[in-house]
Amino acid sequence: MGDELRFHFNIDGDNFTSAGEASVEVKKKLRQLGFPPDVIRRVSIAMYEGEINMVIHARGGDADVLVYPDRIVIILEDHGPGIEDIDLAMQEGYSTAPDSVRALGFGAGMGLPNMKRYTEEMHVESTLGVGTKITMVVNVQ
Amino acid sequence: MKIREIVPLLEAEVLCCEEDLDVEVCNACGSDMMSDVLAFVKDQTALLTGLVNPQVVRTAMMVDMRCIIFVRGKCPTPEMIALAEEGHIVLLATKLRMYEACGRLYVSHLAGGD
């Protein structure tokens, strides 16, 4: 620890339109730093799904991206309602999102599975009524 | 297939990034669910969708897509066009429905990607 580059973002939970801006910013920064396109894409998708989740379910939160030479760590933390059954939420197709969110193209129950699909490690800590913290690691091959 | 070749096939209108019409796309994905699009990651993909909101463009940016085709006469907002220009993503609009638009591209040998 200590030699990483760290980027912090506050995710606005009241604005679905701006959701994803932090992920676009991370993508730009990783490109400038010269990471391989596949790594950049996996980090961007995982973070973007997380960002959308925070806006849909938790009225926003905080995102930190820690960049090491050999891995990128994404930490997403919110103070939303928490996830009741994490195993169930990790199943493709399971969603608690309302129809209004589905009409916007999300809430198909693919968010968390996609985050797992594109990362080497994913840890979900959640307490009902307190919030959720998701830590993801993408290795740089 | 070059994006330029898609335009007459779908009787489409070019809405932005005309300078990128010679970019090649190798497959296509038709969906209104953006998480399904994010689960389908292929290089050089064109997205066909009837969904109109800025997240469509951001989704395309995340998976490095270079072309979005709006079907059923849907028209993106100026904000979406600005976002697409920033990401060098060609936006096309066609009056065709999703099924026919996908079908015309498929029979013209643009693969489904799997």
Side-chain angles (χ1 to χ4, degrees):
Chain A
M1 297 293 266
D3 58 350
E4 81 276 8
L5 260 176
R6 179 186 282 261
F7 303 113
H8 177 80
F9 302 91
N10 185 261
I11 311 298
D12 179 2
D14 294 321
N15 192 350
F16 180 77
T17 300
S18 66
E21 280 178 356
S23 305
V24 171
E25 197 55 37
V26 166
K27 186 161 192 155
K28 274 186 206 160
K29 288 185 190 299
L30 294 180
R31 236 184 228 152
Q32 284 164 4
L33 291 166
F35 282 96
D38 172 62
V39 169
I40 297 174
R41 190 149 64 180
R42 292 192 292 122
V43 169
S44 313
I45 296 173
M47 182 166 168
Y48 180 56
E49 288 280 21
E51 225 186 307
I52 293 281
N53 269 352
M54 283 202 280
V55 174
I56 291 174
H57 297 288
R59 297 182 60 84
D62 289 287
D64 285 283
V65 179
L66 283 61
V67 182
Y68 300 88
D70 63 339
R71 69 193 188 282
I72 292 154
V73 180
I74 308 157
I75 303 165
L76 307 170
E77 199 160 9
D78 69 56
H79 302 291
I83 302 169
E84 199 171 337
D85 185 333
I86 294 173
D87 288 339
L88 196 58
M90 291 301 297
Q91 287 180 19
E92 286 194 7
Y94 178 80
S95 176
T96 57
D99 285 346
S100 57
V101 168
R102 267 184 274 275
L104 294 165
F106 289 90
M110 293 295 286
L112 290 173
N114 272 350
M115 288 156 76
K116 192 175 172 61
R117 174 177 291 132
Y118 293 115
T119 56
E120 267 76 34
E121 281 177 47
M122 177 175 169
H123 306 286
V124 184
E125 301 158 57
S126 191
T127 308
L128 284 181
V130 178
T132 299
K133 181 179 178 184
I134 297 182
T135 307
M136 296 177 282
V137 180
V138 172
N139 290 335
V140 179
Q141 277 94 17
Chain B
M1 177 184 289
K2 285 189 163 73
I3 298 171
R4 182 181 301 285
E5 296 169 67
I6 295 176
V7 176
L9 277 173
L10 301 186
E11 300 157 52
E13 187 187 342
V14 183
L15 303 174
C16 74
C17 299
E18 206 151 333
E19 65 281 8
D20 293 318
L21 283 174
D22 287 322
V23 168
E24 287 276 344
V25 288
C26 299
N27 50 60
C29 164
S31 182
D32 288 350
M33 294 308 290
M34 293 302 108
S35 286
D36 283 344
V37 177
L38 291 166
F40 171 102
V41 174
K42 293 267 174 196
D43 271 331
Q44 297 173 289
T45 298
L47 170 65
L48 294 99
T49 188
L51 187 70
V52 174
N53 73 52
Q55 299 310 340
V56 176
V57 183
R58 285 215 183 87
T59 296
M61 283 168 120
M62 294 304 145
V63 295
D64 302 314
M65 283 178 174
R66 300 296 304 278
C67 178
I68 304 172
I69 301 152
F70 294 94
V71 298
R72 301 198 302 275
K74 296 289 179 82
C75 203
T77 61
E79 184 190 7
M80 290 167 70
I81 293 175
L83 206 53
E85 278 171 344
E86 190 189 316
H88 298 281
I89 298 169
V90 179
L91 299 187
L92 304 179
T94 175
K95 290 202 165 42
L96 300 177
R97 291 182 179 190
M98 176 75 95
Y99 182 74
E100 176 152 9
C102 291
R104 287 195 191 184
L105 293 180
Y106 194 81
V107 297
S108 303
H109 308 293
L110 190 60
D114 289 323

